[in-house]
Amino acid sequence: MSHASSDLLAPFPRVSLCHQPTALEFMPRITAALGGPKLWVKRDDCTGLATGGNKTRKLEFLIAAAIEAGADMVVTQGAVQSNHVRQTAAAACKFGLDCHALLERRVPDRADSYEQTGNVLFDHLFGASIEYRPSGLDMNAEAIAVTDKLTASGRKAYFIPGGGSNEIGALGYVACAGEILQQSADQGLDLGWIVMATGSAGTQAGLVAGLHAVGSDVPVMGVSVRQPHDIQVKNVHGLAVKTAATLTDTPLPVEKVIVDDGYVGAGYGLPTEGTLAAIQLFARQEGLLFDPVYSGKGLDGLINMVKAGFFDDTKDVVFLHTGGAAALFAYETQLAAMG
């Protein structure tokens, strides 16, 4: 991590959960195949907690906040195949806390196995207690209500929002912004863009806030996996402003939040043909596993931006791999159909 970022984060309570810095790797075969700028991958699938993923960085700050609050359990929420719930359940085990999760049946027309495999299998393995909710509710509000009920019954319950996406969790990606800048300098990159899938907003907000706080003008492209452009920009900017305000007095303009909503397809957790083709391409060109809910859509965006000449080919482009390959097992039928 760069000294600037580590100094900024010194005042905040934090536990150790994450293998960091995660590697920044060049992707030579995919770069050659697409014929555009040099493409790199930031391996946040290798954060080390329960098959890794981006939520581990956020949980370093969120679990520390829970412990500081005297909690004996954490309550969180996500979609059925939530990577965040899996990592939260594992982090709770590591610190002797119970974990209660609300899972939203957000993705329609799934086989029964969807609620038994992938991330859900791991949730059970880590001893999380689980209750389900139908699609379309305000899931953070639902989880807060359950937290209050548990507290009233005598538990010391601490609420962690979906995706770990609040100004505490986003600090994990302030740290990552520092890592990317430091590694880019160490490895001689001329960094043009950071590209990523954007969902619950905390990862993109943390990156944008972290870059802003250290005065970097490297832009971040968020490929939306769920929300239309205007809603996602509002969500990310709102959280980036709150996060940046804990680090710097310099205002963060909305222009720093860049979102492409052209790859959502039929909705959250429903991979498009482009998503599945991108996963297969990167698997066969680079031996990398990406997921069908988040990074697969981000990769589809990246591929099409390269093909459209969006990037300056003389600059390096970093794709942030946020993990999630555990969910591939829940999409076995669609992936197998590709051959």
Side-chain angles (χ1 to χ4, degrees):
M1 191 195 311
S2 75
H3 292 307
S5 285
S6 51
D7 291 347
L8 284 173
L9 294 169
F12 300 97
R14 186 177 189 178
V15 297
S16 179
L17 284 170
C18 181
H19 296 178
Q20 52 196 327
T22 56
L24 180 63
E25 297 175 355
F26 180 48
M27 297 188 285
R29 281 171 49 77
I30 210 79
T31 296
L34 295 178
K38 284 186 178 172
L39 298 175
W40 300 72
V41 58
K42 176 65 170 161
R43 297 293 304 275
D44 271 19
D45 58 319
C46 298
T47 51
L49 179 71
T51 75
N54 59 324
K55 312 309 180 186
T56 300
R57 289 187 187 273
K58 301 178 182 183
L59 287 161
E60 291 203 322
F61 294 92
L62 291 160
I63 294 291
I67 291 167
E68 198 165 73
D72 61 12
M73 74 181 304
V74 291
V75 179
T76 196
Q77 61 88 6
V80 169
Q81 281 293 333
S82 170
N83 298 302
H84 162 69
V85 169
R86 180 236 318 153
Q87 289 164 83
T88 302
C93 289
K94 204 166 165 69
F95 287 92
L97 305 171
D98 289 336
C99 177
H100 184 71
L102 281 69
L103 297 183
E104 179 189 6
R105 292 184 165 119
R106 192 184 296 166
V107 182
D109 304 323
R110 297 286 105 185
D112 291 347
S113 61
Y114 192 75
E115 293 187 3
Q116 295 153 18
T117 186
N119 283 305
V120 185
L121 178 71
F122 291 155
D123 297 341
H124 288 299
L125 191 58
F126 293 126
S129 50
I130 291 171
E131 53 185 285
Y132 288 88
R133 290 288 189 276
S135 178
L137 300 175
D138 179 336
M139 287 297 291
N140 278 337
E142 293 286 313
I144 289 168
V146 171
T147 306
D148 292 344
K149 191 171 80 177
L150 286 161
T151 301
S153 77
R155 295 304 303 263
K156 293 173 181 147
Y158 182 88
F159 165 68
I160 292 176
S165 292
N166 60 14
E167 59 269 39
I168 299 171
L171 294 171
Y173 275 84
V174 172
C176 186
E179 271 183 35
I180 291 171
L181 292 175
Q182 186 68 56
Q183 289 173 313
S184 296
D186 291 347
Q187 296 183 46
L189 275 67
D190 184 2
L191 190 54
W193 282 87
I194 299 168
V195 181
M196 56 170 295
T198 184
S200 62
T203 303
Q204 187 177 6
L207 274 181
V208 169
L211 293 165
H212 172 74
V214 299
S216 169
D217 59 2
V218 173
V220 179
M221 169 63 74
V223 179
S224 180
V225 302
R226 185 182 186 191
Q227 300 290 5
H229 176 272
D230 291 1
I231 292 175
Q232 191 65 11
V233 168
K234 182 171 177 261
N235 290 348
V236 174
H237 184 245
L239 183 49
V241 165
K242 282 186 194 168
T243 307
T246 67
L247 307 166
T248 175
D249 295 333
T250 314
L252 195 160
V254 71
E255 291 74 27
K256 288 202 171 185
V257 178
I258 304 163
V259 169
D260 184 338
D261 67 354
Y263 301 90
V264 175
Y268 175 89
L270 296 169
T272 65
E273 283 184 23
T275 311
L276 297 170
I279 289 169
Q280 188 180 77
L281 180 70
F282 277 72
R284 294 183 180 180
Q285 293 290 333
E286 295 287 349
L288 291 167
L289 291 171
F290 288 90
D291 81 291
V293 181
Y294 296 95
S295 288
K297 288 184 177 178
L299 287 181
D300 190 19
L302 176 72
I303 290 165
N304 282 290
M305 287 173 216
V306 172
K307 286 179 176 173
F310 176 83
F311 303 111
D312 175 348
D313 284 2
T314 66
K315 304 259 190 170
D316 296 276
V317 175
V318 169
F319 185 83
L320 175 65
H321 188 342
T322 48
L328 285 166
F329 298 102
Y331 290 82
E332 180 186 358
T333 309
Q334 281 161 288
L335 290 159
M338 295 189 68

